[in-house]
Amino acid sequence: MVITTTDHGLLRLLQLSSVSLPVGGYAFSQGMEYAIDKGWVTKQAQVADWTQLQLLQSLARVDLPVLRLAMVAWAQRDEARIVELNDLILACRETKELRLNDTAMGEALARLLRSLQIETPFVRLEDISFVVLFAIAATHWQVEFDSAALGFSWSWLENQIAAATKLVPLGQTQAQLLLGELQPTLSEAIALSKTIDEDDIGAGLPAVAIASCLHETQYSRLFRS
């Protein structure tokens, strides 16, 4: 993987990938909270396995391929194609909660991009994927795909480990060890994503979908009571 981003692009990518970006990524555990509550994930090694599996079977097969295609589309200012890819990735979200995770972060990023006067084609759409907007911002700042994918994946990983640190719980040193252990998987996921054609985009992680579904219905019952 070759990183060829300019200094300006790199700084913008760091901004876009920062945990301080006001999109609430840290608040979404991607099913991990339920898995921890039910004892599926209780220690550092299990967090590593759970996270690595999602990187290779979900991000590498859904988020990153769509990110790549959306960056190509926006470089050509193909608005219809961008909307099509937005619909595709939202259709890949297997539960209401996973879809909401994506669109809530997308809504927050859309507000930020508008404040930065960055053009997007989503004037009338309500449900906008964070992944597609990330692609638009990266393209606007002339960030190469490999760099954008690494920043996107790192941000996702950091948020997941932050969630695990609070929920398992893990110590800060354990969290840093996990981040170091999983860094090579980011490069593996990015390389894999480049081999995924559009017709092959999709993930199959039943346990994650079940955990997310049960988590959302559990909280729905709590709110109704």
Side-chain angles (χ1 to χ4, degrees), residues 54-161:
Q54 288 205 60
L55 280 168
L56 295 176
Q57 299 299 325
S58 182
L59 258 74
R61 297 177 183 275
V62 178
D63 299 65
L64 296 181
V66 171
L67 178 71
R68 172 172 50 84
L69 294 172
M71 289 182 71
V72 171
W74 194 239
Q76 300 168 351
R77 289 300 187 271
D78 189 340
E79 295 190 4
R81 177 68 169 148
I82 285 288
V83 172
E84 184 180 83
L85 290 167
N86 186 70
D87 291 343
L88 171 61
I89 194 165
L90 293 184
C92 290
R93 303 312 187 195
E94 295 176 280
T95 68
K96 181 179 179 180
E97 181 182 58
L98 292 174
R99 181 185 174 104
L100 178 61
N101 290 359
D102 196 355
T103 58
M105 291 176 63
E107 182 181 351
L109 183 55
R111 287 195 301 269
L112 177 61
L113 295 184
R114 284 195 296 270
S115 71
L116 295 173
Q117 298 183 330
I118 295 176
E119 174 190 5
T120 76
F122 298 114
V123 177
R124 298 179 182 177
L125 283 184
E126 293 182 359
D127 291 340
I128 308 171
S129 168
F130 176 78
V131 179
V132 173
L133 286 170
F134 194 103
I136 288 173
T139 303
H140 175 84
W141 286 321
Q142 298 181 333
V143 178
E144 298 289 337
F145 169 71
D146 279 354
S147 301
L150 189 60
F152 179 91
S153 302
W154 171 255
S155 178
W156 181 90
L157 174 61
E158 195 171 22
N159 284 322
Q160 288 298 291
I161 298 305

Side-chain angles (χ1 to χ4, degrees), residues 47-49 51-53 55 154 157 161 177-187:
V47 172
D49 290 343
T51 307
Q52 185 178 51
L53 190 64
L55 280 168
W154 171 255
L157 174 61
I161 298 305
L177 289 172
L178 272 173
L179 287 171
E181 177 184 344
L182 291 166
Q183 282 176 17
T185 306
L186 301 183
S187 297

